[in-house]
Every structure is written in structure tokens, then in C-alpha cells.
Amino acid sequence: MAIGKHLRLCIALALCGAILASALPCRTALSAQPAFTNRGIGGSGGMYCPTVAPHDENFILLTCDMGGVYRSLDGGDHWELIHFAQGLREMQFAPHPVILPHRIYWVSGTTRLCLSDDRAETWTLLPPGPWVKHPPAPSARNKIVSFAVLTEKDERLLVSATKGVWMGKDRYWTPVSEKAGGPVLVSEGWILAAVGEGEILASNNQGDSWQPLAPLPDRVVALATAVDQQGQRLIMASVQGHGLYRSLDAGTSWQLCKSPFENEK
């Protein structure tokens, strides 16, 4: 009986060992293909504003905490530092660039728009816009906080700065609002511009006219919008100190869908 018990125990241990051994290759195979891969530059310091071209996933732009700009043409396998002689300054404070199929727009030095026609290799500073001519107190420059291209056809821009929002291009600009600008967004024929304390302006005719949406309790710090399968316009707004709000009726009304965490700004 003792021999039979020992034999059964040995067989059980052998089966357990075989099962564990067969599981190890699967575990290794899964760990070899993680959901996320490190595509960064490496080293210490902060990396900001990662932007992937919507028409070419291998083209990526990135800024660092020292104000420099990097580009990758192969999906992050290799990175190239764009020389400071191109005029890009203080890029750690820049909003995300707008990458079109044939041109890139960005902000240099917090106030100057610039463009590149050769995939970010060389850059040209554009003439100063009206936001540069209306500086606030010397301790706070009238910086660009967000911008967007209204239409790819004529490449008119919507520029949101700390002292107002403007629409236009080159030296020709039209004021949209004199209130402090926040995030702006262009999506599927809709244009949204957050201004002041909880206000959002909307246009569905390329900026020819603007209508205010229902007010929110405080400053809007992020915007997103989409159209559902029934054709309804969904808008999401992150509100400073209040959380995440949602509108299912194109901004006629808002519902709080996530309260902020404790001490969250």
C-alpha cells in the first residue's frame, strides 16, 4: 500500500510539473508582447506633447522639459533633435501641433505661430498676431493656450490666447471673443471655443457666426466631441474643480458624469 501511495504521489507531482512547464512558454510569449511598448527617447527629464500624425503613424513629434523638439519618422525607433536655430523656443509650454498632410503648424515661445512644409525639418515663424499686441501685465505674457485649423482648404486658424480668441491667417485676423481663451476644437463641421469662466462658443458654419452653449460652473480645461450612430452631437468638457461633464444634446444641457478627486484641480 505504501508503495502504491508513493507511486501515485510521484505521478501527481510529475503531472503538476508538466502542467507548469507547459504554462511557462505561454507566459513568456505573453510577456514578450505587452500592450504598450517603450517608444520614448530615454534618459531623465520630462517629455511633453506627444503628437502622432493622423495620416502617418510613424511620424511623431515630441517636446522635452528643456524646451527642445524631437521628431521620429519610424514610429519612435529613432529620434532626431530639431536644431534650435529653426526658431522653436520654450516648446515645453507649447500646445499640441496641428499636423496636416502637407504642412505642420505649431507655437514657438508661447506667442508665435510657426509652420513647416518638410515634416518638421525646417520651420518658419509667422507674423505676430493680434494677441502679441495686447499684452497683459508684464509678469504674464499673453500666450497662446490652444489653436486649431478651421479648414484644410484655406488653412484659416482659430487661436485661443490668455486675452482673447481670434480667427484668421497671416496678418488678417478677426476677434471671436475678448475673454480669456481656453481649449478650442474642430470636429466634423463643428467648432468649439472655451472662453471665460465656464462659457463655450460653438459654430457650425466655419466661424461665420457663433452661439453660446449652456454655461458650465467654472473654467473649461479640456474639450472633446463626437457624433453617435443616431446623429446626436456628444460633447465632453472637463471643468476646473468640478469634474467631467457630458452633453447629449449639442450643449443645450449638461450632466455631471464624474466628480473630481479630492484636491483635484
Side-chain angles (χ1 to χ4, degrees), residues 3-172:
I3 295 176
K5 288 182 180 179
H6 288 147
L7 181 60
R8 288 195 295 271
L9 179 60
C10 290
I11 293 173
L13 290 174
L15 288 174
C16 290
I19 293 171
L20 289 173
S22 64
L24 286 175
C26 296
R27 184 181 182 87
T28 303
L30 289 174
S31 62
Q33 298 179 354
F36 291 91
T37 57
N38 185 2
R39 314 301 287 176
I41 298 170
S44 60
M47 308 306 297
Y48 307 116
C49 211
T51 306
V52 180
H55 57 280
D56 181 3
E57 63 182 10
N58 289 316
F59 180 43
I60 308 173
L61 292 174
L62 188 69
T63 67
C64 73
D65 57 359
M66 299 300 290
V69 178
Y70 294 83
R71 73 167 184 168
S72 174
L73 303 178
D74 54 13
D77 286 337
H78 302 88
W79 293 90
E80 174 188 0
L81 176 64
I82 298 174
H83 200 281
F84 71 91
Q86 293 300 319
L88 300 180
R89 301 286 189 273
E90 302 177 63
M91 299 302 290
Q92 68 270 40
F93 305 116
H96 284 272
V98 173
I99 304 178
L100 305 176
H102 61 286
R103 177 167 290 176
I104 306 168
Y105 286 96
W106 216 346
V107 176
S108 172
T110 73
T111 61
R112 292 290 296 276
L113 290 169
C114 55
L115 64 84
S116 172
D117 291 328
D118 55 9
R119 305 187 78 188
E121 184 173 350
T122 60
W123 291 85
T124 301
L125 289 176
L126 299 179
W131 50 89
V132 179
K133 301 175 184 178
H134 297 77
S139 60
R141 283 185 289 177
N142 189 15
K143 66 178 182 178
I144 297 174
V145 297
S146 181
F147 76 105
V149 173
L150 294 179
T151 62
E152 292 189 18
K153 183 178 180 180
D154 60 8
E155 295 185 14
R156 286 187 303 150
L157 301 176
L158 181 66
V159 176
S160 177
T162 51
K163 281 289 183 177
V165 180
W166 288 265
M167 180 177 62
K169 63 184 297 186
D170 299 330
R171 299 182 183 274
Y172 305 98

